[in-house]
Amino acid sequence: MSYQEKLNELGLALPPPLQLPPGVELPYSPIKISGNICYVSGHIAQNPDGTVMEPLGRLGTDVSLQQGVEAARGSALAMLGSLQRELGDLDRIEGWLSVFGMVNTSADFHAHPIVINGFSNLILEIFGPEAGSHTRSAIGVAGLPINTPVEVEAVIELKA
């Protein structure tokens, strides 16, 4: 089964490119390929129309744990959308190497790994334990762009 077929089976759709709020510019590429390594810039959760997913704010004060998990899952779908547009086919992915998850939190919030599990679990569900397995870091930060609760970046190996 192709990765696109797996997405379809799960009833998941990939969002279009991120629609940035007025005045926000991103002078970099979301995807950079060097040889068979694909570096993926930080992605945030998006709605199906490409707008920024809400709620915005910090876990521990404005955003619940479950909403944070959903934001991490939404970040995975946004990243997969960027990969699909860049690669033309998600089946070009050999495997996920590394994931770095950042969680916008209050000082007393400590469940960063649980939040980023939303990203990791979806990648494992789509790509399976062999291609989807990855190393990972999950940290709390004092703020993220657009006050989003979660941002995730990754390094992926492409098929030769």
Side-chain angles (χ1 to χ4, degrees), residues 1-15 72-81 83-84 89-96 117-134 156 159:
M1 177 181 299
S2 75
Y3 298 134
Q4 184 61 55
E5 289 171 337
K6 185 64 177 180
L7 283 166
N8 294 343
E9 179 184 273
L10 295 171
L12 300 172
L14 303 180
R73 185 177 169 90
S75 296
L77 291 172
M79 187 178 289
L80 291 172
L83 287 163
Q84 174 87 14
D89 186 351
L90 293 176
D91 287 332
R92 288 188 56 201
I93 296 173
E94 179 74 24
W96 290 75
N117 283 350
F119 184 98
S120 293
N121 288 338
L122 183 59
I123 295 304
L124 287 165
E125 189 173 5
I126 294 167
F127 290 88
E130 190 170 318
S133 179
H134 53 271
I156 297 165
K159 292 179 180 172

Side-chain angles (χ1 to χ4, degrees), residues 7-142:
L7 283 166
N8 294 343
E9 179 184 273
L10 295 171
L12 300 172
L14 303 180
L18 179 63
Q19 293 181 23
L20 296 170
V24 176
E25 294 182 33
L26 303 177
Y28 61 87
S29 174
I31 308 282
K32 175 73 174 175
I33 298 171
S34 180
N36 68 330
I37 302 298
C38 180
Y39 299 90
V40 186
S41 296
H43 278 66
I44 63 174
Q46 296 173 231
N47 294 311
D49 67 356
T51 57
V52 175
M53 182 185 290
E54 294 185 358
L56 300 176
R58 293 178 184 215
L59 277 92
T61 55
D62 312 309
V63 179
S64 72
L65 178 62
Q66 185 56 42
Q67 289 170 321
V69 170
E70 288 303 315
R73 185 177 169 90
S75 296
L77 291 172
M79 187 178 289
L80 291 172
S82 290
L83 287 163
Q84 174 87 14
R85 287 185 293 280
E86 180 70 25
L87 303 175
D89 186 351
L90 293 176
D91 287 332
R92 288 188 56 201
I93 296 173
E94 179 74 24
W96 290 75
L97 301 177
S98 181
V99 168
F100 180 62
M102 296 160 277
V103 183
N104 184 5
T105 68
S106 62
D108 59 347
F109 184 86
H110 303 288
H112 316 103
I114 295 170
V115 172
I116 302 303
N117 283 350
F119 184 98
S120 293
N121 288 338
L122 183 59
I123 295 304
L124 287 165
E125 189 173 5
I126 294 167
F127 290 88
E130 190 170 318
S133 179
H134 53 271
T135 65
R136 190 185 85 183
S137 295
I139 65 166
V141 296

